[in-house]
Amino acid sequence: MKEMTLEHIAQACHGIYVGDPGKMQTEIEGAVTDSRQVQAGYLFIPIKGARADGHDFIPDVIGRGAAAVLSEKELTGCTAPYIKVGSSEQALKDIAEYYRSQLTIPIIGITGSVGKTSTKEMIASVLSEKYNVLKTAGNFNNEIGLPLTLLRIREEHQVAVVEMGISDFGEMRRLAKMARPDICVITNIGICHLENLKTRDGILKAKSEIFDYLSPKGHIVLNGEDDKLCTITEVSGVRPWFYGFPHEKGDGGPQKEICADEIENFGLKGVKAQIHTPQGTIKAHIPIPGEHNLYNAMAAAGVGLFLGMGLSQIKDGIEHAETIGGRSNLMEIGTMLVIDDCYNANPVSMRASLDVLSYGLGRTIAVLGDMGELGENEKRLHYGVGVYAAEKEIDAIFCAGELSQELARGAKAAGAARVFSYGNREEMTARLLEYLKDGDTVLVKASHFMDYPKVVEAIKAKFCDVQASQ
């Protein structure tokens, strides 16, 4: 890692170097917080967690060839250099910020209430047609995950696409200070994290902190269909590019540089559309189900153009896009189709997933659970999702959790015929497995704390075993 000597690292994180002075110019090969990922020449950054203290693993990582470690404690008998710091977490952020200052590659920062990860994946897919791209792994998008992502950038990388997630004011400013994005993308302003941010205007204010450290020659790409984002007309002399759909004259919406029309929805086989850009028109097939993925494709087209890509490259990148585990991942189990979307959930993403499910063949079954961090209106928001599920004419709705009782109540009130509500996931899963049959299309979705991947595993275990025995 260029310019990442132990001396520079100690200076960057305001730490005290302890050890052989002759090793101060040692340049580290990488930096991690997970002791299992330590390789020879790495810097280990121990973090105190709820279940374990990374400091306990220092002897192990030194034994496996770590170049050095950070430590909030004085270490006795340490056979490798260490850097004494006040806070390992703050040191991690300081080191990542310093490393970012040494990099010359463009960094794309992506935030928004919904769709950050799927938009990141689409943008990375497009940019990969021309560049060697590093992207956020999974959802490493917070004040631990983002600096670790930045520290994964190597000399061979030509561009980085990083996801930036927050739940309170001030967090985005700290993330942006580390990432210093050259292009900022905001997907939407929804109703997530209302516990701290209170209103959509609060969410807009918090997300807009990403602009505080935008490169002076940077660019902004925004969803032109979002009423809150449409209020952003200029940021420090930078005029945003908007993406969305054509509007009639006089409708008051912003001018959109990226527009989509002639949309054909092929259900679970994806979406076709024309995407109009300042450089011309792309006719593309997005191979991921759900019209919401068209938004991702338009955002990616804008980023691709800003980074000098041709229309054919952008088209190829859109058409090569793939889902990732836990995000609308389609699994065929015999003649049953399971839509594994149980990574996380909020009212907007719930509706989008129900839209996808509604195109399923055979019986459509929604297996839903509680959504977290919705604030004082959480019951009303769950109720609304239930109403929406009924309106989409989903054949059966299974749900578990205290808040999901409101979801079930909304579905029943809106006329859904088959609604099954349970107090816990285990009870619901047992009944669900009795109900499912070949030919069903099943959506599984809830917030992460509901642990719904276990529902998917239970379906696989039963029906894969049945298939194997036939």
Side-chain angles (χ1 to χ4, degrees):
M1 298 175 71
K2 188 178 180 181
E3 300 297 327
M4 293 293 281
T5 65
L6 296 182
E7 181 180 23
H8 287 150
I9 290 169
Q11 292 172 351
C13 66
H14 311 290
I16 300 172
Y17 177 87
V18 180
D20 182 353
K23 294 184 177 180
M24 292 183 71
Q25 299 309 311
T26 299
E27 201 165 72
I28 65 170
E29 299 295 327
V32 295
T33 59
D34 187 336
S35 63
R36 296 166 296 183
Q37 297 174 354
V38 171
Q39 300 178 34
Y42 270 45
L43 172 70
F44 175 58
I45 304 173
I47 302 294
K48 293 180 180 178
R51 298 181 178 178
D53 183 347
H55 290 78
D56 296 339
F57 301 99
I58 287 176
D60 176 59
V61 301
I62 291 175
R64 289 192 285 116
V69 300
L70 298 189
S71 179
E72 296 175 5
K73 311 169 184 179
E74 290 188 9
L75 302 179
T76 58
C78 189
T79 58
Y82 75 93
I83 298 171
K84 177 76 163 47
V85 296
S87 164
S88 291
E89 287 193 25
Q90 183 57 50
L92 169 63
K93 290 183 274 191
D94 291 339
I95 293 167
E97 181 180 347
Y98 169 75
Y99 185 53
R100 169 65 178 108
S101 72
Q102 311 304 309
L103 302 173
T104 59
I105 68 170
I107 290 183
I108 294 89
I110 303 170
T111 192
S113 297
V114 180
K116 292 184 292 295
T117 301
S118 57
T119 302
K120 172 204 70 183
E121 293 294 320
M122 183 68 77
I123 290 174
S125 180
V126 166
L127 296 182
S128 293
E129 295 294 321
K130 182 174 182 178
Y131 300 106
N132 186 324
V133 179
L134 179 128
K135 64 182 180 181
T136 297
N139 69 320
F140 268 47
N141 61 18
N142 60 16
E143 292 189 68
I144 298 295
L146 176 68
L148 289 173
T149 298
L150 295 173
L151 291 170
R152 287 174 49 226
I153 298 172
R154 296 293 183 269
E155 188 174 351
E156 65 267 22
H157 294 127
Q158 297 170 294
V159 61
V161 185
V162 301
E163 184 178 331
M164 303 165 73
I166 63 166
S167 59
D168 208 345
F169 295 106
E171 285 184 66
M172 183 60 74
R173 184 173 294 111
R174 294 191 292 271
L175 295 177
K177 187 171 184 284
M178 287 184 276
R180 308 270 173 164
D182 297 280
I183 301 177
C184 294
V185 179
I186 305 183
T187 61
N188 47 55
I189 302 298
I191 46 178
C192 305
H193 306 299
L194 293 177
E195 287 180 323
N196 296 321
L197 303 178
K198 304 301 181 186
T199 66
R200 289 183 68 221
D201 286 328
I203 295 169
L204 175 66
K205 180 179 178 182
K207 299 287 187 185
S208 296
E209 292 173 3
I210 193 173
F211 304 135
D212 291 355
Y213 290 93
L214 174 66
S215 167
K217 296 182 179 180
H219 305 283
I220 299 171
V221 180
L222 304 176
N223 181 353
E225 301 300 321
D226 186 286
D227 60 322
K228 297 299 182 182
L229 291 177
C230 287
T231 64
I232 301 174
T233 57
E234 184 179 300
V235 178
S236 301
V238 178
R239 189 177 69 81
W241 269 23
F242 289 95
Y243 60 89
F245 305 103
H247 284 235
E248 298 294 330
K249 290 184 178 179
D251 66 357
Q255 173 188 341
K256 299 185 182 72
E257 284 73 17
I258 312 291
C259 270
D261 60 13
E262 295 194 17
I263 300 164
E264 297 179 79
N265 194 323
F266 293 93
L268 299 176
K269 294 184 178 181
V271 181
K272 284 185 178 180
Q274 286 194 147
I275 300 176
H276 304 283
T277 81
Q279 302 299 322
T281 297
I282 301 166
K283 293 182 179 180
H285 176 209
I286 304 164
I288 308 171
E291 288 193 11
H292 58 283
N293 284 296
L294 184 53
Y295 287 86
N296 303 341
M298 288 189 282
V303 172
L305 289 176
F306 279 132
L307 291 183
M309 294 185 67
L311 295 182
S312 63
Q313 292 173 315
I314 294 171
K315 171 184 167 70
D316 289 344
I318 290 171
E319 295 189 336
H320 292 157
E322 299 178 350
T323 61
I324 60 174
R327 303 298 180 94
S328 295
N329 187 28
L330 304 181
M331 296 185 300
E332 293 185 3
I333 303 175
T335 60
M336 183 188 302
L337 184 65
V338 176
I339 307 169
D340 174 5
D341 199 5
C342 53
Y343 162 74
N344 218 334
N346 57 62
V348 175
S349 66
M350 276 282 199
R351 285 174 168 81
S353 294
L354 288 166
D355 287 343
V356 173
L357 175 63
S358 68
Y359 289 102
L361 301 176
R363 298 187 305 175
T364 53
I365 300 168
V367 185
L368 309 177
D370 290 358
M371 301 175 284
E373 298 184 329
L374 295 181
E376 61 186 14
N377 292 319
E378 60 185 6
K379 289 186 177 180
R380 178 178 60 82
L381 294 169
H382 280 80
Y383 186 94
V385 168
V387 170
Y388 191 79
E391 291 173 347
K392 300 303 292 186
E393 299 182 347
I394 304 304
D395 292 316
I397 301 165
F398 283 75
C399 53
E402 182 178 352
L403 289 171
S404 289
Q405 292 178 14
E406 287 298 307
L407 190 156
R409 198 165 70 85
K412 291 175 182 177
R418 298 177 184 84
V419 182
F420 307 97
S421 180
Y422 302 91
N424 59 67
R425 187 194 69 244
E426 293 83 1
E427 185 182 1
M428 178 199 72
T429 303
R431 179 66 185 94
L432 173 69
L433 295 178
E434 296 173 357
Y435 186 84
L436 294 177
K437 65 181 183 181
D438 285 345
D440 290 342
T441 301
V442 187
L443 166 69
V444 184
K445 188 169 181 65
S447 279
H448 187 65
F449 66 86
M450 294 296 290
D451 207 8
Y452 266 37
K454 290 183 178 177
V455 178
V456 176
E457 290 303 314
I459 296 172
K460 288 167 64 177
K462 176 175 180 177
F463 288 92
C464 284
D465 286 348
V466 169
Q467 184 182 8
S469 66
Q470 292 176 346

